Amino acid sequence: MSYAYVYILGAETSKSIPALMYLFFVIAFYGILRRNTGKTVAALSTLFMMMAPEMLAFSSLSTTNVMQAIFAGLGIAYTASWLRSRNDDELYAGALLLGANMWCRNEGIVFIGATCVILLIDCIRRKSYRKGLYFTGLSLLPAIIWFIYMKIGGLYTEGMAITRLFWDGEKAGLIVNGFWALFTNPIYYGWTFSVFAIFILGNSWFMVKRKDNLALLGMIVLSIVFYGLVVYHVDYVWDSIQNVLAYSAKRFFFCFVPMCWYFAATTQIARKGSEYIERFLSLK
């Protein structure tokens, strides 16, 4: 829809749309970070998030991958922020952003599914389900509208999903190895996943004792697992699974870049460190 507007207005290329979306995403990402951590850590985390090489390279290309990362990353961040603040505006913003992520690419359903699982656990613990139902309805509404439109317009293509239960050890091994190769490749994502792992270990005591950022970690890990299941249940008749892992999955993992930096910046140790640094810099 965004691309259509610029072409209707006479533009020869649509590259301005993803570039502008990325620019304002950087501002929005700093904003949600600033709500939950110190100014210094928020600014540094935003800078390091921007330095993910492959994601930055795609930020001015007319593809949907970075757009999806924008919506999915902010959606997860706002939902995690709501779990900390219980400000309902953040819950509804998170739901709508995650819904928009499915308008970019259908596999964005994994983020909605992962978030709904974590919110279900929260609802059971608090014995209140109303807001969880609101979130689920809002996040799925854009997808429902899209699927109805495709049904009415006859836009469905031949199904590629394997809907039966099965076990293929070789295929599962390829997926695990492919994911690991992507996570450990600094050329694509810079320091993102290394820093993410370091802060998981460094903040482990607070996660166990105080459940600090445990829900956010659950959303990220479940999203990875669910995406692995999606890749596993695809019938690769048009391309090899190796190419899908090397190219499609590489771009899908852009979504985890803002999530991982948001996690690192909002951990207990990062927030305490930010307070110390800001007191030191202000000479208080």
Side-chain angles (χ1 to χ4, degrees):
M1 188 163 54
S2 299
Y3 292 154
Y5 282 131
V6 293
Y7 285 129
I8 289 171
L9 293 172
E12 295 183 0
T13 176
S14 59
K15 288 185 177 182
S16 60
I17 294 299
L20 286 170
M21 291 187 73
Y22 185 79
L23 172 63
F24 286 99
F25 160 63
V26 169
I27 298 171
F29 185 71
Y30 173 79
I32 188 61
L33 272 177
R34 185 62 190 89
R35 292 188 181 196
N36 294 279
T37 191
K39 298 176 184 177
T40 304
V41 168
L44 288 174
S45 298
T46 303
L47 174 64
F48 293 142
M49 184 275 297
M50 291 173 58
M51 290 170 61
E54 196 75 0
M55 183 174 173
L56 182 61
F58 272 79
S59 65
S60 61
L61 299 180
S62 297
T63 63
T64 55
N65 301 104
V66 174
M67 285 187 181
Q68 182 188 23
I70 290 169
F71 289 122
L74 289 176
I76 293 289
Y78 269 97
T79 307
S81 182
W82 174 78
L83 288 169
R84 191 188 299 273
S85 69
R86 300 295 169 174
N87 181 349
D88 289 348
D89 291 343
E90 294 180 339
L91 179 69
Y92 303 140
L96 291 173
L97 286 163
L98 286 173
N101 121 86
M102 270 207 69
W103 266 355
C104 296
R105 302 181 68 85
N106 285 343
E107 60 263 39
I109 190 65
V110 302
F111 299 111
I112 297 175
T115 306
C116 285
V117 170
I118 298 301
L119 289 183
L120 177 60
I121 295 172
D122 181 73
C123 289
I124 293 172
R125 183 176 60 85
R126 295 169 62 87
K127 297 180 180 179
S128 175
Y129 299 90
R130 180 170 53 87
K131 291 178 182 177
L133 291 173
Y134 289 164
F135 178 92
T136 303
L138 281 174
S139 60
L140 291 177
L141 181 61
I144 293 170
I145 293 172
W146 174 241
F147 290 138
I148 292 173
Y149 174 75
M150 287 197 297
K151 183 69 175 178
I152 294 173
L155 299 178
Y156 278 104
T157 57
E158 184 179 350
M160 297 179 294
I162 303 173
T163 56
R164 56 181 172 82
L165 295 175
F166 71 101
W167 172 249
D168 186 335
E170 182 181 359
K171 190 176 186 180
L174 286 172
I175 293 170
V176 171
N177 292 334
F179 279 20
W180 181 255
L182 291 171
F183 285 135
T184 56
N185 192 335
I187 296 175
Y188 294 156
Y189 313 108
W191 302 335
T192 299
F193 295 113
S194 298
V195 170
F196 180 57
I198 290 170
F199 274 86
I200 289 175
L201 294 174
N203 200 57
S204 56
W205 188 90
F206 294 103
M207 286 193 292
V208 172
K209 294 296 184 180
R210 302 181 185 177
K211 295 182 173 54
D212 180 60
N213 263 7
L214 191 60
L216 174 56
L217 178 62
M219 294 179 204
I220 296 172
V221 172
L222 280 176
S223 297
I224 295 170
V225 172
F226 289 168
Y227 181 62
L229 291 174
V230 168
V231 175
Y232 179 75
H233 281 87
V234 170
D235 186 11
Y236 297 95
V237 294
W238 85 101
D239 202 353
S240 68
I241 188 173
Q242 289 85 356
N243 283 344
V244 170
L245 289 170
Y247 300 105
S248 296
K250 175 187 75 173
R251 296 190 298 268
F252 180 83
F253 282 178
F254 292 163
C255 298
F256 296 105
V257 172
M259 296 179 198
C260 290
W261 283 108
Y262 182 84
F263 174 88
T266 56
T267 55
Q268 180 74 16
I269 56 174
R271 296 197 307 272
K272 291 295 184 183
S274 179
E275 292 174 5
Y276 174 80
I277 292 171
E278 288 173 11
R279 284 198 304 268
F280 177 78
L281 293 177
S282 62
L283 302 178
K284 290 182 180 179

